Amino acid sequence: MILAIDMGNSNIVIGGIDNTGIYFVERVTTNHGKTELEYAVNIKDIMEIHNMPLSAIEGAILSSVVPPLTDVVVCAVKKITGKTPMVVGSGMKTGLNIKMDNPKTVGSDLIVNAVAALKEYQAPIIIVDMGTATTMSVIDRNGNYSGGIIFPGLRVSLDSLSSRAAQLPYIGLNKPTRVIGKNTIDCMKNGILYGNAAMIDGVIDRMEEELGTLASLVATGGLASSVVPLCYHKIHYDEALLLKGLLVLYEKNKLD
């Protein structure tokens, strides 16, 4: 089993995975104030909750879009496992041809998602990742990473709305029963959830028009499960897509 870690701006996803399956997936809050010891305790506690011994870890790999915390988490992993994790970045073998103006600027999370999607889905592929930001990445029919879009994440948009309008409350995001809201909370919730669903549907239509063909559709990220069921397109939700990509990259880059 390898320890696969995806460090995002809001959450850090920590999972145990090998070629036979996924043993656990948990999230902890990304906190710039935590020390390597505190992150080490988080990881150790997660493994104990799932009755997984540290000796089961053969290696580790980290994808991070939070550079100031990358070394902290690397040291945390090394502290409890004795192994230095691979870090997704420049120089790592990915097998992915990135057709961007500057390939080095593509986020490591987008690269890992693309690697996983190419293994499991038929190209062309559109990948929706809903986290702090919502990204939509496109893999063309030849398997090239050809670009995408980034827009404000669902929770970022909602928190901004609540903080800037004195009479609009902070709300949860349980599934709406109808589009037309009958009170302020339902109107806000429906606006965010159905608005994001309609935006994703609309962008998929335009991306497929540019591609000249229908695409395989896959979504991941902590907030995608609330939105995907509201979309008109049939989008496969894969909570562990990035962890699967990290396993692929680990296998490609480990020393024999």
Side-chain angles (χ1 to χ4, degrees):
M1 179 184 73
I2 68 161
L3 188 64
I5 302 175
D6 168 34
M7 189 190 307
N9 290 294
S10 299
N11 292 291
I12 301 174
V13 179
I14 301 168
I17 185 172
D18 64 18
N19 287 314
T20 64
I22 298 168
Y23 297 94
F24 61 86
V25 180
E26 297 290 353
R27 295 172 182 270
V28 299
T29 302
T30 304
N31 185 336
H32 289 256
K34 279 186 180 179
T35 65
E36 65 184 65
L37 176 60
E38 290 172 304
Y39 279 116
V41 170
N42 285 156
I43 297 168
K44 187 172 184 292
D45 286 348
I46 287 170
M47 295 196 64
E48 287 180 355
I49 288 169
H50 290 273
N51 297 313
M52 299 300 299
L54 291 172
S55 60
I57 297 175
E58 111 178 17
I61 184 168
L62 167 69
S63 167
S64 172
V65 295
V66 191
L69 283 181
T70 301
D71 286 342
V72 174
V73 174
V74 165
C75 291
V77 172
K78 189 173 182 181
K79 186 180 288 288
I80 61 168
T81 68
K83 298 176 174 66
T84 302
M86 297 180 190
V87 178
V88 179
S90 180
M92 175 172 275
K93 293 184 289 185
T94 65
L96 187 66
N97 186 21
I98 302 174
K99 292 193 167 183
M100 296 282 285
D101 293 340
N102 185 354
K104 291 183 179 180
T105 63
V106 179
S108 62
D109 54 339
L110 304 183
I111 292 171
V112 178
N113 279 336
V115 168
L118 273 169
K119 184 175 181 181
E120 299 209 356
Y121 301 93
Q122 180 69 40
I125 309 167
I126 297 173
I127 307 162
V128 183
D129 190 345
M130 301 189 72
T132 304
T134 295
T135 62
M136 296 179 69
S137 303
V138 177
I139 299 171
D140 67 23
R141 68 184 72 203
N142 296 316
N144 302 310
Y145 185 99
S146 60
I149 67 168
I150 304 172
F151 49 88
L154 185 153
R155 178 58 69 178
V156 169
S157 298
L158 181 57
D159 288 349
S160 177
L161 180 63
S162 297
S163 66
R164 290 177 178 271
Q167 291 187 310
L168 298 182
Y170 288 89
I171 64 171
L173 291 172
N174 53 306
K175 187 177 179 180
T177 56
R178 55 187 294 167
V179 176
I180 302 171
K182 295 295 188 180
N183 55 69
T184 300
I185 290 177
D186 282 351
C187 288
M188 291 175 64
K189 178 177 64 180
N190 293 3
I192 288 292
L193 291 175
Y194 280 108
N196 273 264
M199 180 163 50
I200 289 168
D201 276 329
V203 172
I204 288 172
D205 287 340
R206 286 161 174 77
M207 285 179 166
E208 289 183 333
E209 185 178 358
E210 285 191 21
L211 288 168
T213 184
L214 297 178
S216 300
L217 307 174
V218 57
T220 191
L223 298 170
S225 60
S226 298
V227 176
V228 166
L230 305 178
C231 293
Y232 287 135
H233 288 84
K234 184 177 176 60
I235 305 171
H236 180 73
Y237 175 62
D238 190 342
E239 178 187 20
L241 185 69
L242 201 139
L243 295 185
K244 294 174 183 177
L246 287 172
L247 177 61
V248 173
L249 291 177
Y250 180 87
E251 295 290 342
K252 279 181 180 290
N253 290 273
K254 71 178 180 180
L255 297 175
D256 295 325

